[in-house]
């Protein structure tokens, strides 16, 4: 259910698919999967406890994440969505796949809600004595990352479809660009004022 809720990851994938195409959006989805793998590792090491013992660590992640989302949203407002190629046809800006992966990693890794989700949820499914705790964390992590990758790939492909549609409509391009930029800025503001539970 958590993957169906709108959030920065979903907006990032839709925006990347719409503006930069399928390959770049799928590379972004891979970056999100890498970040989720890091969340699982941090959950296994007791990140939730660190956030409780040293609340400033939560605030550092929260402020960094809000700043990053705000920067991405503002970049959307400033950038040109499509440019004309030499033959006059509209083409999309392409981002190197390494940058796309990095964008996915940073967007998810700097989201304290995603960090807390793994740190609070996964330990509830650990059964002491059933198997080594680390084995259970690895299994749960593989399931979490695999399911997330399926959903993220779907959003990336949906964004590509949106991009094909808006490419033929200059007004829709501007609306889509401002909508995604506004949503990212909104998520940044919400994150900036988020309190640790």
């Amino acid at each position: 259910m958590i993957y169906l809720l709108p959030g920065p990851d979903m907006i990032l994938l839709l925006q990347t698919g719409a503006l930069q195409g399928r390959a770049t959006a799928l590379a972004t989805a891979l970056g999100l999967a890498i970040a989720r793998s890091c969340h699982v590792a941090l959950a296994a090491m007791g990140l939730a406890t660190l956030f409780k013992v040293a609340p400033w660590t939560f605030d550092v992640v929260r402020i960094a994440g809000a700043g990053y989302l705000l920067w991405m949203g503002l970049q959307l407002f400033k950038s040109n969505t499509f440019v004309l190629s030499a033959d006059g046809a509209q083409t999309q800006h392409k981002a190197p796949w390494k940058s796309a992966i990095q964008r996915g990693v940073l967007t998810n890794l700097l989201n304290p809600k995603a960090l807390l989700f793994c740190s609070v949820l996964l330990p509830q499914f650990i059964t002491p004595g059933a198997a080594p705790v680390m084995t259970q964390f690895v299994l749960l992590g593989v399931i979490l990352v695999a399911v997330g990758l399926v959903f993220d790939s779907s959003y990336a492909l949906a964004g590509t479809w949106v991009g094909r549609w808006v490419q033929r409509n200059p007004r829709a391009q501007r609306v889509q660009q401002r909508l995604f930029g506004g949503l990212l800025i909104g998520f940044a503001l919400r994150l900036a004022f988020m309190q640790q539970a």
Side-chain angles (χ1 to χ4, degrees), residues 33-157:
I34 292 168
R36 287 193 189 103
S37 301
C38 294
H39 292 324
V40 173
L42 290 170
M45 291 187 283
L47 180 70
T49 304
L50 175 64
F51 281 167
K52 289 290 185 189
V53 173
W56 65 270
T57 57
F58 177 84
D59 291 333
V60 166
V61 174
R62 179 178 57 83
I63 297 300
Y68 185 66
L69 289 177
L70 180 64
W71 177 80
M72 283 190 357
L74 293 174
Q75 290 299 109
L76 269 179
F77 276 100
K78 293 192 315 186
S79 69
N80 293 321
T81 306
F82 295 96
V83 294
L84 290 176
S85 64
D87 62 358
Q90 286 186 320
T91 58
Q92 295 171 301
H93 286 297
K94 299 287 184 185
W97 62 270
K98 287 183 182 178
S99 297
I101 291 174
Q102 181 181 25
R103 203 166 47 241
V105 169
L106 288 175
T107 299
N108 194 272
L109 205 54
L110 292 176
N111 184 353
K113 289 177 74 175
L115 284 166
L116 281 175
F117 173 76
C118 280
S119 297
V120 172
L121 181 73
L122 288 185
Q124 296 180 42
F125 293 94
I126 300 297
T127 306
V133 171
M134 202 50 64
T135 302
Q136 293 183 62
F137 259 109
V138 169
L139 178 60
L140 289 170
V142 167
I143 293 169
L144 181 77
V145 171
V147 170
L149 192 56
V150 169
F151 275 91
D152 290 344
S153 298
S154 301
Y155 297 135
L157 296 175

Side-chain angles (χ1 to χ4, degrees), residues 138-183:
V138 169
L139 178 60
L140 289 170
V142 167
I143 293 169
L144 181 77
V145 171
V147 170
L149 192 56
V150 169
F151 275 91
D152 290 344
S153 298
S154 301
Y155 297 135
L157 296 175
T160 304
W161 178 82
V162 169
R164 284 197 209 106
W165 179 74
V166 299
Q167 193 171 9
R168 298 188 295 269
N169 187 336
R171 183 175 294 169
Q173 290 176 27
R174 288 190 293 274
V175 169
Q176 174 262 327
Q177 188 173 356
R178 286 175 173 79
L179 174 66
F180 287 162
L183 285 170

